Amino acid sequence: MPTKINGPSIIEAAGTRPKRIEEYIGRVNSGTGAVSVARMRSPSGWQEPGQRPAFDEYTVVLNGMLRVESEAGTLDIRAGEAVITHAGQWVRYSTPEPEGAEYIAVCLPAFSPETVHRDDEKD
């Protein structure tokens, strides 16, 4: 039988301003470790610490613009565009424009605080 997800769990976000993370599929909401699917709503001026995650992240921007910084440069991903960030590579996300951004993030394997490896964490 398929598993119905009745709604998301709200996950606490890292960063400079409150960002809303609604996890539909993942370790918290569905007990799924293979993949996570979440809707993000980031306000203008939000920025999270840099990170070197142990998962690939596939992001589709629905509204606004998401800035993605990496060691290779900076990408501005706008509504209707997508970006893939790869496990082991340094990345930092932010939403500098006035309208912020809304986007869907899919992580393989599922997002975990233990595998995101943020710059401000002590190893």
Side-chain angles (χ1 to χ4, degrees):
M1 176 79 131
T3 302
K4 180 181 178 184
I5 307 297
N6 290 318
S9 290
I10 306 305
I11 308 294
E12 183 177 343
T16 56
R17 303 192 63 203
K19 172 177 111 169
R20 184 175 175 90
I21 301 175
E22 300 172 349
E23 181 186 275
Y24 284 86
I25 300 166
R27 296 178 194 276
V28 173
N29 200 52
S30 65
T32 305
V35 63
S36 59
V37 179
R39 178 169 65 181
M40 315 287 199
R41 295 180 187 173
S42 300
S44 175
W46 170 82
Q47 179 177 309
E48 72 179 353
Q51 58 193 31
R52 195 174 296 274
F55 48 81
D56 290 335
E57 187 164 346
Y58 305 82
T59 304
V60 178
V61 176
L62 304 173
N63 294 298
M65 186 272 285
L66 177 67
R67 177 160 290 155
V68 182
E69 296 174 68
S70 73
E71 291 169 323
T74 300
L75 299 170
D76 289 343
I77 312 302
R78 298 193 178 277
E81 298 178 333
V83 64
I84 302 170
T85 58
H86 302 282
Q89 296 180 349
W90 183 86
V91 65
R92 179 172 42 216
Y93 299 97
S94 63
T95 50
E97 293 193 341
E99 71 273 15
E102 179 182 7
Y103 52 101
I104 301 292
V106 177
C107 298
L108 290 170
F111 174 89
S112 163
E114 295 77 33
T115 62
V116 72
H117 308 299
R118 290 195 176 96
D119 290 350
D120 60 357
E121 296 172 341
K122 296 191 181 1
D123 292 323

